[in-house]
Amino acid sequence: MSTNSEGEADMMCCASCGTAEVDDIKLKTCTACKSVRYCSINCQRDHRPQHKRACKKRAAELHDELLFKQPESTNEGDCPICCLPISLDNDKSTSMSCCSKVICDGCVHSYDIRIFQESLEPTCPFCRHPAPKSKDEEIKNIMKRVNANDPVAMVQMGLRRYEAGDYDSAFEYVNKAAEFGDAKGHYELSIFYHEGTGVEKDMKKKVYHLEQAAIGGHAGARHNLGCVEEGNGRMDRAIKHWVIAAALGRDASLDNLKVCFRVGLVTKEDFAAALRAHQAVIEATKSPQREAAEEARVER
C-alpha cells in the first residue's frame, strides 16, 4: 500500500484510541500538523507526548510551504482603471480617500488632462466622487471608509495618525487592518514592533507580521524577512526570500542577490532567472500613459 493511502487510512481513525469515524463519531483534525485526527480532546491530550515532535516538524513544513510560495502579484494589485500592475514606487500611484482605490499616475494624469480640457469639476478617476476641497474633507472621506471596515482606509488613517505623533491611535488603526488580513497593515505592525513606537519592542511579533505581510504579497516585508534571516545566519532562507521579492519587483532584493552571486552563494543560472523575473515585472508596470505622467512630474 502506498504512503498516501496509509496516511488517508490513518486519518479515518482516532490517532490515540483507533476509533473509526462513523455517523455519531466525528473526528477533529490536529490544527497544527493537519496529519492526524482525534475523537475527543482527552484522546488528543493523551496522544500529545508521542505526537509532539512529529507535529512540530510537520507544522513547520506546512508553514514554510505557505511562506515560500511565490505570490501571483504584489499586495498592491492592479490599477482598477488600466488593469496594469501598480508600481512598488509609491510616488507613481495615488490612493483615493473616497473609495480607497489605488490609481496609477498614468490614469490620474490622463484624467486630469480631460478635466482641464473639458473644464469639468475635479472628481475621483474611478468612482467619480467629488475631489475633496480640504484636508478635513479628505479625512472625513477616509473615516467613512474606516467605518465601513475598509482595511485600506484603516492603514491610511493609521499612517496619518503616526505622522501626527498619535502612536496609540495609529497602532489601533493598522492593527484593525491586519485583523482583516491586510498585508500592508501587517507590514506597518512589524515596524511598530521593530521600533517600539507606541508598543514594546517584540522581535517575535515583528517577524510574525512580516511573514503574514509577505504571504500576502508585500515585497518590502519579503525583503525584510530576508534581512532577518541573513542576520540569523540562515542564508539559504534569506536568498529564497530575496528571490521572491525580486520577482515582485523589489530592487533592493535583486541587489542583495547580486552580492550573493559575486561571493558564490547564488549560481549564475539562479541569478539570471531572478534578473529575468524582475525585469519582466518591471516591464509589466509600464505604459505610454505612465511614461507621460513621469515626464510631466519631472517637468514640474
Side-chain angles (χ1 to χ4, degrees):
M1 185 180 293
S2 67
T3 303
N4 288 340
S5 298
E6 291 175 356
E8 293 174 1
D10 290 341
M11 290 289 285
M12 297 302 294
C13 301
C14 174
S16 180
C17 68
T19 298
E21 184 174 52
V22 291
D23 292 341
D24 58 338
I25 298 178
K26 299 298 181 183
L27 303 181
K28 294 185 177 181
T29 305
C30 175
T31 56
C33 68
K34 308 288 192 300
S35 60
V36 294
R37 303 173 76 193
Y38 300 100
C39 64
S40 67
I41 294 178
N42 288 334
C43 274
Q44 185 174 11
R45 189 182 298 116
D46 293 341
H47 192 244
R48 181 63 179 166
Q50 64 189 90
H51 176 58
K52 184 177 180 179
R53 180 176 295 180
C55 182
K56 284 188 174 182
K57 180 181 178 181
R58 182 54 183 157
E61 291 172 350
L62 291 174
H63 174 72
D64 280 359
E65 286 177 12
L66 180 62
L67 179 61
F68 290 110
K69 182 179 180 181
Q70 179 75 50
E72 293 183 2
S73 65
T74 71
N75 63 298
E76 298 292 350
D78 299 338
C79 171
I81 298 177
C82 66
C83 297
L84 294 177
I86 293 290
S87 170
L88 293 183
D89 186 347
N90 292 330
D91 292 334
K92 295 183 178 180
S93 61
T94 303
S95 182
M96 312 309 296
S97 64
C98 47
C99 57
S100 296
K101 297 298 184 183
V102 178
I103 313 296
C104 77
D105 271 9
C107 291
V108 171
H109 180 65
S110 297
Y111 190 65
D112 286 345
I113 292 175
R114 181 191 169 200
I115 291 292
F116 175 76
Q117 291 177 341
E118 300 181 17
S119 301
L120 302 174
E121 285 294 321
T123 61
C124 170
F126 182 77
C127 69
R128 299 301 193 264
H129 187 281
K133 294 181 174 60
S134 65
K135 187 174 182 180
D136 289 341
E137 189 174 340
E138 185 177 19
I139 292 176
K140 185 178 179 180
N141 288 342
I142 296 175
M143 286 307 301
K144 284 183 179 179
R145 299 301 307 165
V146 169
N147 294 331
N149 289 330
D150 184 338
V152 176
M154 293 172 188
V155 173
Q156 286 187 50
M157 203 64 216
L159 293 177
R160 287 172 180 266
R161 298 316 306 155
Y162 186 91
E163 292 173 358
D166 185 359
Y167 302 126
D168 291 340
S169 294
F171 179 83
E172 289 179 9
Y173 281 118
V174 297
N175 187 59
K176 187 68 177 294
E179 289 176 356
F180 279 98
D182 185 75
K184 195 168 184 179
H186 280 294
Y187 176 71
E188 296 299 335
L189 278 182
S190 75
I191 296 176
F192 272 95
Y193 286 115
H194 173 75
E195 296 179 345
T197 307
V199 293
E200 291 186 11
K201 286 188 177 182
D202 191 319
M203 293 302 105
K204 287 186 177 180
K205 288 183 178 180
K206 167 194 168 181
V207 171
Y208 168 77
H209 287 293
L210 281 177
E211 289 182 343
Q212 294 304 307
I215 291 170
H218 197 290
R222 179 72 67 177
H223 174 80
N224 289 355
L225 276 177
C227 295
V228 169
E229 293 292 10
E230 180 186 28
N232 292 334
R234 300 194 291 188
M235 287 304 299
D236 57 330
R237 295 175 68 86
I239 289 170
K240 286 182 180 180
H241 283 303
W242 291 332
V243 166
I244 294 173
L248 292 174
R250 183 76 175 185
D251 294 340
S253 294
L254 186 65
D255 292 340
N256 285 3
L257 290 174
K258 186 184 299 183
V259 173
C260 291
F261 166 63
R262 287 173 178 170
V263 299
L265 294 176
V266 173
T267 66
K268 181 179 179 180
E269 292 75 17
D270 288 343
F271 178 67
L275 182 60
R276 288 193 298 270
H278 179 269
Q279 291 174 334
V281 76
I282 295 300
E283 285 298 318
T285 66
K286 295 180 179 181
S287 73
Q289 292 78 12
R290 294 183 182 186
E291 291 174 3
E294 179 66 20
E295 291 175 2
R297 183 172 62 173
V298 171
E299 290 176 359
R300 288 197 297 268

